[in-house]
């Protein structure tokens, strides 16, 4: 039987695959409250010509609308890749309680790879962070995408 982390991370990986099919960097996000999926998101920067259209930002915006609040207390966000500074800032500002991510981002990651935002003295920093969930699957999607890009 799958753990909840894997079940929801598989949904995030499906979102990442959608991004890849649209020639977007394959990153996906899912926000869950309890055992209920609240929102989904995948990268859409290229198709929307919007630097802010990261999977996490799209999922957070959608969750805020669905729950009719900007405070996503007691929610978990599942992301296929360690969040960048912008997305980690949004996650903290949205008061998300738990973050689960797949592969580490050694160039931009803010959960320990480049910086560790949860250890900074921000107003809200009560977040549990778990990395490396289905790491190989998430990293493989990214590797395959960028290999295809280089071969074009």
């Amino acid at each position: 039987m799958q753990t909840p982390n894997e079940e929801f991370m598989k949904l995030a990986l499906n979102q990442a695959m959608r991004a890849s099919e649209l020639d977007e960097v394959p990153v996906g996000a899912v926000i869950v409250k309890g055992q209920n999926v609240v929102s989904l998101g995948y990268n859409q920067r290229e198709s929307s010509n919007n630097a802010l259209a990261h999977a996490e930002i799209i999922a957070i915006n959608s969750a805020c609308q669905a729950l009719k609040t900007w405070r996503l207390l007691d929610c978990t966000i599942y992301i296929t890749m360690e969040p960048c500074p912008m997305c980690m800032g949004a996650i903290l500002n949205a008061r998300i309680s738990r973050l689960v991510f797949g592969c580490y981002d050694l160039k931009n990651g803010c959960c320990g790879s480049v910086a560790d935002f949860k250890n900074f003295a921000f107003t809200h920093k009560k977040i549990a962070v778990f990395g490396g969930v289905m790491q190989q699957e998430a990293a493989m999607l990214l590797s395959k995408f960028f290999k295809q890009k280089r071969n074009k």
Side-chain angles (χ1 to χ4, degrees):
M1 186 171 169
Q2 295 176 0
T3 66
N5 285 350
E6 289 179 356
E7 176 187 341
F8 295 124
M9 186 58 76
K10 282 186 179 182
L11 289 175
L13 286 165
N14 286 339
Q15 291 298 299
M17 285 186 257
R18 286 186 68 187
S20 184
E21 290 166 3
L22 298 171
D23 205 30
E24 300 276 356
V25 175
V27 176
V30 175
I31 296 179
V32 175
K33 186 164 186 164
Q35 291 298 305
N36 299 314
V37 173
V38 175
S39 66
L40 305 167
Y42 58 88
N43 273 357
Q44 298 177 39
R45 291 189 310 169
E46 300 298 330
S47 57
S48 68
N49 292 313
N50 184 344
L52 304 177
H54 287 208
E56 301 94 322
I57 302 297
I58 291 165
I60 289 168
N61 187 50
S62 184
C64 289
Q65 291 174 358
L67 296 174
K68 297 183 179 6
T69 181
W70 64 268
R71 291 178 186 91
L72 301 179
L73 302 168
D74 301 319
C75 288
T76 299
I77 186 166
Y78 293 84
I79 314 164
T80 57
M81 185 168 72
E82 181 181 10
C84 72
M86 175 182 71
C87 292
M88 192 60 192
I91 290 164
L92 290 171
N93 278 310
R95 309 298 197 257
I96 292 174
S97 303
R98 188 168 175 256
L99 162 63
V100 179
F101 67 89
C103 63
Y104 290 82
D105 182 350
L106 302 178
K107 294 181 180 179
N108 299 298
C110 286
C111 294
S113 290
V114 175
D116 196 348
F117 276 32
K118 72 178 176 21
N119 289 328
F120 291 178
F122 296 124
T123 302
H124 174 74
K125 61 179 181 176
K126 293 180 182 178
I127 185 167
V129 177
F130 304 91
V133 176
M134 300 186 73
Q135 180 172 343
Q136 290 181 330
E137 294 87 340
M140 191 180 323
L141 271 177
L142 287 160
S143 292
K144 182 180 174 185
F145 176 81
F146 286 113
K147 184 177 182 181
Q148 289 174 343
K149 284 288 203 191
R150 285 189 300 273
N151 290 336
K152 281 188 179 179

